[in-house]
Amino acid sequence: MGGISGSELELELKKFLLTSSPNLQAMTIRPNSMSGEGKLLRETLELSPDGLEALISRCPLLKRLMLRNLVGIKQLNIEAHTLEWLDVEGAFEDVTLGVMNRLKNFRSRQSSIPQLVFDSQCTKAKGVQPSLQENLAKIIDKVLLLHTGPIRKFKLSHFEFSATSDIDHWILHLSRVSVKEIVLDIWKGQYYKIPTSLFNCQDLICLELYRCLVKIPLTFEGFKNLKILDLQTLELSPDGLEALISRCPLLKRLMLRNLVGIKQLNIEAHTLEWLDVEGAFEDVTLGVMNRLKSVVIDFSNDIANKPGPSNANSSNFHKFFQSLPEIQSLKLQNYSMKYLAIGNVPQTPPNELFHLKYLFTCIDFNSVEEILTVMCLIRSSRQLKHIDFQNRAKDQQATKIGTMADFREDHRACCLEQVQVVSMGGIFGSELELELIKFLLTSSPNLQKMTIRPNSTSGEGKLLRELLRFRRASVQAEVMFL
């Protein structure tokens, strides 16, 4: 179409032709002048990301595709089985290529595709296909071979893609192009053995590995720029893990989940700000980390009731909180509170947690030791605003309360001035639970809301009557019974 000025009638005609021509292979627009070319391009396409995908998918004979500077489209998802020639240019942030077995020529400009993502969206076919593994490998080979610009991110996370030696070649290529982020999720088959070339990616800022086997080379000097490390369902020796963490001097975020064979964790990273640990661990030791603000600890397996050290200063509680002065958010999931309560019940915290504002903990409300431990933690956190309890006990047991009487006496003058929100889930209405609720209501003058979620409806009436009897230090406190 030549001599186009961009009138409404012209645009309507072009729109009709684009949406009504399933065998269209090319459309050429020659504007009448350059003055309105930008507006004409935007109006001519009038495509959202979904609209672009729909247009391409409805051209079953498409062989050549050129996409350049598409206004407002940051992510491209391209799948055309007949495509042989593809030219992409623009400030795209993410490009996903589907199975295109006939693709022979793929061109991209330097700023076109900084992020390469190969996940399950690349193939829409459901179920296991013998050719899927080979087809996806060919696509990745072609993309990396023909790619001319910098690669900021490389992500491989396809549910049907198994570990293969092809990945070795891709990582070797990435180690030569200053890649910033690598995500390898091996969802199927055996664990993938990480090649030594990965440790040559010295510009890495983010590294995520899932279901991989890692062995740290003796010559590895560290990732000097790495800020995010995410290791899940991984085989790695304890010494290898410590070496990897200690050789990342800029590390800020660390996630460790289900590390095979590791029972004891020793973590020390002076720059760390965010930590998430989950697994069948028996012990966790945290070094001096003055910048750590958010911690999630999840002892997923029950911990044996072994006696702790006789010296309270050497208890798990004191050891864990000895060097976390800046922590603001703390989540203790599953059996983590039981781990902290092993040994002598703490009377005083090792250090004041001046900055802690949010606390979540799974707790056994049948355990006096766990209740006393969590209350010691609450008492040491003067800026605490939000407390969330989840009962870990599966039933209610008769428990001695003599120690709780001493607890009431010790905490009579305690004032939780900053606490505003309290949530308690899985409550049975035991005497220990009621004592804790009473303490929180009478010691929190600025409490705004307390939410109680009982374990069952059988004892709701009695529990509700007990709650109504308790005095509240805050006149504005709202008690919600869900």
Side-chain angles (χ1 to χ4, degrees), residues 190-258:
Q190 297 180 344
Y191 284 23
Y192 170 64
K193 185 177 180 180
I194 295 295
T196 57
S197 57
L198 176 71
F199 299 95
N200 295 328
C201 299
Q202 287 300 303
D203 292 308
L204 273 180
I205 296 176
C206 175
L207 177 61
E208 299 181 18
L209 302 177
Y210 174 71
R211 296 187 76 248
C212 294
L213 174 61
V214 180
K215 185 176 181 180
I216 307 299
L218 296 176
T219 57
F220 177 61
E221 297 182 357
F223 292 121
K224 305 304 181 184
N225 298 295
L226 195 70
K227 295 182 179 180
I228 302 173
L229 180 60
D230 185 342
L231 306 178
Q232 300 190 45
T233 315
L234 213 71
E235 286 194 20
L236 175 65
S237 69
D239 291 340
L241 178 63
E242 290 186 39
L244 179 58
I245 295 174
S246 65
R247 295 171 190 175
C248 299
L250 299 181
L251 193 62
K252 291 186 176 181
R253 296 175 65 90
L254 176 62
M255 177 179 286
L256 304 173
R257 291 189 173 182
N258 303 316

Side-chain angles (χ1 to χ4, degrees), residues 257-269:
R257 291 189 173 182
N258 303 316
L259 303 183
V260 179
I262 295 184
K263 298 298 183 182
Q264 295 186 333
L265 278 180
N266 295 288
I267 303 172
E268 184 162 3

Side-chain angles (χ1 to χ4, degrees), residues 18-19 21 24 41-42 44-60 62 64-80 83 86-97 100 124:
L18 284 170
T19 57
S21 306
L24 182 68
L41 175 62
R42 291 191 295 270
T44 299
L45 291 176
E46 258 188 8
L47 286 177
S48 64
D50 292 338
L52 178 61
E53 289 185 45
L55 177 60
I56 295 174
S57 65
R58 293 169 186 171
C59 300
L62 191 63
R64 296 172 63 89
L65 177 62
M66 178 184 292
L67 302 173
R68 292 190 177 182
N69 303 316
L70 301 185
V71 178
I73 296 181
K74 297 297 184 183
Q75 294 184 333
L76 282 179
N77 293 289
I78 304 170
E79 182 163 4
L83 204 63
L86 175 61
D87 192 336
V88 175
E89 178 179 353
F92 303 117
E93 296 177 354
D94 192 6
V95 175
T96 301
L97 302 180
M100 293 181 284
K124 296 183 179 180

Side-chain angles (χ1 to χ4, degrees), residues 161-201:
F161 194 80
S162 305
T164 172
S165 59
D166 291 322
I167 305 177
D168 296 355
H169 306 308
W170 303 334
I171 293 179
L172 178 61
H173 176 83
L174 294 171
S175 68
R176 297 169 177 170
V177 295
S178 301
V179 64
K180 305 293 184 182
E181 179 178 352
I182 292 180
V183 179
L184 288 179
D185 296 332
I186 308 301
W187 296 94
K188 185 180 177 183
Q190 297 180 344
Y191 284 23
Y192 170 64
K193 185 177 180 180
I194 295 295
T196 57
S197 57
L198 176 71
F199 299 95
N200 295 328
C201 299

Side-chain angles (χ1 to χ4, degrees), residues 443-470:
S443 305
S444 307
N446 294 308
L447 183 67
Q448 297 180 6
K449 182 169 68 173
M450 174 180 280
T451 303
I452 304 295
R453 300 184 301 276
N455 184 272
S456 66
T457 58
S458 58
E460 279 188 5
K462 179 182 177 182
L463 179 58
L464 183 58
R465 288 193 298 271
E466 291 290 340
L467 289 176
L468 293 175
R469 292 177 49 246
F470 293 157

Side-chain angles (χ1 to χ4, degrees), residues 272-436:
L272 203 63
E273 298 177 0
W274 186 90
L275 175 64
D276 188 333
V277 172
E278 175 187 341
F281 305 114
E282 297 177 355
D283 191 25
V284 174
T285 301
L286 303 181
V288 177
M289 292 185 282
N290 295 329
R291 300 182 185 180
L292 194 59
K293 294 180 173 61
S294 177
V295 176
V296 179
I297 300 293
D298 186 342
F299 281 76
S300 57
N301 287 0
D302 194 357
I303 300 173
N305 293 310
K306 59 183 180 180
S310 57
N311 184 354
N313 293 327
S314 301
S315 67
N316 288 346
F317 182 86
H318 281 79
K319 181 182 70 171
F320 187 85
F321 291 105
Q322 192 168 9
S323 303
L324 302 176
E326 299 295 324
I327 186 172
Q328 298 178 10
S329 174
L330 176 62
K331 294 183 180 181
L332 300 170
Q333 306 199 33
N334 283 316
Y335 296 94
S336 301
M337 182 53 66
K338 183 175 182 179
Y339 164 79
L340 293 178
I342 290 178
N344 291 344
V345 176
Q347 298 297 320
T348 58
N351 294 299
E352 291 284 343
L353 301 175
F354 291 106
H355 303 283
L356 187 64
K357 297 179 181 179
Y358 174 77
L359 172 64
F360 170 87
T361 179
C362 287
I363 185 171
D364 181 358
F365 281 117
N366 294 321
S367 169
V368 174
E369 291 77 17
E370 289 191 37
I371 292 179
L372 294 179
T373 300
V374 77
M375 289 314 304
C376 181
L377 177 58
I378 291 175
R379 187 178 63 176
S380 67
S381 308
R382 300 187 179 184
Q383 297 298 318
L384 193 60
K385 294 184 177 181
H386 190 156
I387 307 173
D388 194 349
F389 295 101
Q390 179 60 45
N391 193 2
R392 197 180 68 248
K394 297 181 180 179
D395 53 20
Q396 179 180 346
Q397 300 175 5
T399 310
K400 60 180 182 179
I401 62 171
T403 310
M404 287 300 292
D406 297 336
F407 162 79
R408 287 198 303 269
E409 191 66 29
D410 293 341
H411 292 75
R412 187 179 298 277
C414 181
C415 182
L416 308 176
E417 294 184 359
Q418 301 299 323
V419 174
Q420 299 177 4
V421 179
V422 175
S423 176
M424 303 183 71
I427 301 300
F428 287 98
S430 68
E431 192 165 355
L432 286 177
E433 293 168 342
L434 293 175
E435 284 293 334
L436 179 59

